[in-house]
Amino acid sequence: MRARAGIKYLDDVIEAWCGWEQPPVTRRWSRANWMPDHPSRYCHRCGESVGAGEVTVRGCAGCRGTRWPLDAVVRLGTYDDVLQTWVLGVKYGKDWTMGLALGRTLGEAVRPVITATEPVLVVPMPMPRGRRFRRGIDHAWVVGRGVGQSLGLRPRQVFRVSARIPQVERSAHERWREAHRGLRWRRGGKSRVKGKTIVLVDDVRTTGGSLAALARMARRGGALRVVGAVVAVRDTMERGGTSGGAKPVT
């Protein structure tokens, strides 16, 4: 407790005398009064927000009975307000410290979903090489590193994706329909997933199309289970939909 109080005192002194280019992550979280969502606030199968009593072991009303290829989805919150600001800061502002911190917190949320005995592989969402060069950061990889740090694992990129229209320029229907296009295995990637539980890491789940496409590839490669780990979920209602849950996989 004394050490923590001492760190806070030093932070206060530095802020008062020098100011911050970017305040420490813990301070930003504290000021925003932010905490990750409790698992009871979202569907364990698709990640959509739910109310009390809306989820069964088979999922929520939106995903129950669908051919959803992930065994579970873990999230930190919904894509709005402060979490949206932080995600965009990582993605376009190259805020590595926030990306790693969100990843480590996400890794702690993933921990109860996996067992200590199962072999686990942390796999970030792939980014086209050109886009990574232009932005100067692979945000999913940074978050994946944080997840790996929490789980004591090194993230591995087993997929690659060719350049395509950025997701922000697509409609929800196009995102889902085109999610599989351009996805390929990296050399040796298929052998890495065989017999393992795959933790697919991404910053935001919008339609779930990209996660679903990679989950299907992982299963075809011999993965035993696939868990989606996302910083934020943009709920169906926020996208203009009429019901919660992931789009059925047909």
Side-chain angles (χ1 to χ4, degrees), residues 82-156:
V82 68
L83 198 54
Q84 180 181 14
T85 299
W86 291 338
V87 167
L88 292 176
V90 177
K91 199 169 187 174
Y92 300 107
K94 295 184 283 189
D95 191 346
W96 286 74
T97 56
M98 179 60 78
L100 287 171
L102 290 171
R104 286 191 290 267
T105 305
L106 185 58
E108 292 302 317
V110 169
R111 192 180 297 277
V113 181
I114 59 180
T115 65
T117 57
E118 62 184 317
V120 177
L121 186 67
V122 176
V123 179
M125 183 71 65
M127 174 185 282
R129 185 179 301 176
R131 193 175 304 163
R132 184 169 64 247
F133 177 78
R134 289 193 301 273
R135 289 183 181 173
I137 188 172
D138 184 339
H139 55 280
W141 179 261
V142 173
V143 175
R145 279 184 59 187
V147 172
Q149 288 172 3
S150 284
L151 300 179
L153 299 169
R154 182 180 176 184
R156 300 286 185 179

